[in-house]
Amino acid sequence: MTRSVFRTHLCDLLGIDYPIMLAAMAPDVSDPRLVAAVSEAGGIGVLACADKSPDEMRDLVKETQKLTGKPFGIDVGLPIKAKNFSTDYRKALELANLPKDHVIFRDGFMDEHDIPYDDDTSHATPGMSSIAAYKLSYELGQQQVRAILDLKPTVFVSALGDPSFMVDDAHAAGIKVMSVVGKTKDAMRVGNGGVDAVIATGTAAGGHSGEVDGTVLIPAVAEAVAPTPVVAGGGVTNGRSLAGMLALGAIGAWVGSRFIASRECSVPDWYKDKLVEATDTSTVRNRWFTGKTTRHINSDWDRQCDASGLEALPMPEQGILVTPMTIGAAQVGRQEDSGIYCGQGTARITEILPAAAIIEEMIDSATEILARELPARVSFA
């Protein structure tokens, strides 16, 4: 079967067939299997390594290279201001000195809902962001950057922070550099730092997302950082949303939630099912899981935290607080309380498909809209 032709500058920049990037979702969602599946289908997969040590990153790259010879990327965070107590949960908990009122509230919530306390992070399922959040640090980010320069992926994506300091070194190693932003001012900063593209994610995006609606953010960023190109994220689940992002000024899409609901994704089946069941009002944005704002499916934990009168702790303390609750919640069938991170676009997801079928639908539908549907609706006298 002959593949459709649908190219933008992103395809030329990264050596791929279609302008679709797998958003790097941690922990362990954008893993070698899913990354390889997206790359093999003509897009580009990006490994989520925000919580990984350099040795773990090397192992993930080797595993990915066994599955595909196509281009793929690596994503880490550069959270300059993030504290780090320890990458070992129990040591981090001991050093964090969590406020007693927050601990009492969490324990009361767990008792009320018969959620067991489980601080063994090896029991965590892929996608539990609180498990990754407490590991982030400036020092880890620096170690990860050195590993990336050695591993030489097609593209390095900075999920948090400003990668400008390593752009020259990356380019010398043949690595493209992109940075995820949620504000125009941040886009201008990283654009001035020499990144190859800015990834602008609107508030519809799942996980850690910004406050600005994508229809406002993406054209503003495209104009502000030109001629640096822009990749758009947040709410991209099908060809119509891909076409919309291109019309707003992007050269491609950063796609997360739609690929969670793929056969190759390693999250539990209940996670995928919750995305298929979600409506356009199923998600909320708050700091109750990691200490930074995330979009996820609403839960009793969210509602009771909102009513508690407490303020969320900063990252990493909030993630340390909720980790034993989220692990325990998943074990007793309270999946929403474990943290189901996804975007508002989940309302458009109706079935679980192979990654290749997801990309094929996006490309075929976007082609139909841009080449035939849109010209039939718009005329110029």
Side-chain angles (χ1 to χ4, degrees):
M1 181 178 176
T2 303
R3 280 186 167 184
S4 301
V5 176
F6 190 108
R7 297 187 65 82
T8 71
H9 177 54
L10 184 64
C11 302
D12 300 326
L13 184 67
L14 300 179
I16 58 179
D17 295 327
Y18 302 128
I20 296 172
M21 301 183 71
L22 168 67
M25 297 170 284
D28 304 320
V29 178
S30 298
D31 64 0
R33 184 174 180 228
L34 183 56
V35 166
V38 172
S39 291
E40 283 292 306
I44 186 167
V46 181
L47 285 168
C49 294
D51 62 325
K52 305 304 181 188
S53 70
D55 285 343
E56 290 172 321
M57 292 169 62
R58 292 186 184 95
D59 289 342
L60 290 171
V61 166
K62 288 179 182 177
E63 186 176 349
T64 305
Q65 289 171 333
K66 292 178 182 178
L67 298 172
T68 183
K70 299 290 184 68
F72 66 90
I74 296 176
D75 169 289
V76 303
L78 304 173
I80 305 302
K81 298 180 181 179
K83 290 183 290 183
N84 176 261
F85 298 104
S86 173
T87 55
D88 177 88
Y89 176 76
R90 289 167 180 158
K91 290 181 181 178
L93 175 62
E94 181 180 348
L95 296 171
N97 193 27
L98 299 175
K100 289 184 179 180
D101 52 354
H102 285 72
V103 174
I104 291 170
F105 172 77
R106 180 205 63 196
D107 291 348
F109 176 84
M110 294 173 70
D111 289 342
E112 178 184 351
H113 298 289
D114 296 320
I115 298 172
Y117 183 101
D118 190 344
D119 62 0
D120 185 345
T121 55
S122 69
H123 296 163
T125 56
M128 284 187 180
S129 283
S130 63
I131 310 303
Y134 73 85
K135 298 180 181 180
L136 305 184
S137 70
Y138 178 78
E139 291 75 16
L140 177 61
Q142 293 295 306
Q143 295 169 14
Q144 291 169 328
V145 167
R146 288 193 290 272
I148 287 164
L149 294 174
D150 179 57
L151 291 167
K152 296 180 174 60
T154 299
V155 60
F156 161 58
V157 178
S158 174
L160 294 169
D162 184 351
S164 301
F165 70 94
M166 51 80 67
V167 167
D168 288 344
D169 289 339
H171 286 169
I175 305 167
K176 304 297 183 185
V177 181
M178 300 184 183
S179 184
V180 179
V181 303
K183 298 176 182 177
T184 304
K185 68 174 183 178
D186 294 337
M188 294 173 68
R189 183 179 69 252
V190 299
N192 289 334
V195 297
D196 296 281
V198 175
I199 301 173
T201 59
T203 190
H208 292 105
S209 59
E211 300 177 359
V212 184
D213 180 83
T215 59
V216 175
L217 178 69
I218 293 154
V221 170
E223 293 171 6
V225 303
T228 301
V230 173
V231 176
V236 182
T237 57
N238 56 25
R240 189 169 296 279
S241 47
L242 170 60
M245 294 304 185
L246 297 177
L248 290 172
I251 62 167
W254 178 249
V255 182
S257 299
R258 186 61 191 95
F259 286 121
I260 297 178
S262 70
R263 291 181 187 170
E264 294 89 350
C265 187
S266 61
V267 302
D269 288 343
W270 54 256
Y271 199 127
K272 301 178 187 183
D273 291 340
K274 293 292 183 181
L275 268 59
V276 173
E277 295 166 6
T279 70
D280 53 8
T281 59
S282 293
T283 64
V284 293
R285 290 178 68 254
N286 57 47
R287 299 193 295 118
W288 294 123
F289 278 99
T290 71
K292 287 188 177 293
T293 303
T294 65
R295 184 176 291 283
H296 50 271
I297 290 179
N298 202 5
S299 67
D300 285 335
W301 172 251
D302 294 295
R303 287 182 283 270
Q304 292 186 224
C305 284
D306 288 341
S308 69
L310 298 173
E311 295 287 336
L313 300 174
M315 181 187 281
E317 285 92 335
Q318 186 68 23
I320 293 171
L321 174 74
V322 305
T323 285
M325 185 278 291
T326 60
I327 297 174
Q331 294 173 4
V332 295
R334 296 189 61 86
Q335 289 95 356
E336 288 89 348
D337 294 323
S338 73
I340 300 178
Y341 303 88
C342 59
Q344 286 181 307
T346 52
R348 305 298 304 279
I349 298 174
T350 59
E351 60 182 327
I352 298 164
L353 295 170
I358 291 170
I359 291 178
E360 182 179 11
E361 183 283 327
M362 282 191 180
I363 296 303
D364 289 349
S365 177
T367 299
E368 175 68 23
I369 290 164
L370 294 172
R372 288 176 283 277
E373 181 180 315
L374 187 59
R377 290 206 310 266
V378 180
S379 61
F380 303 91

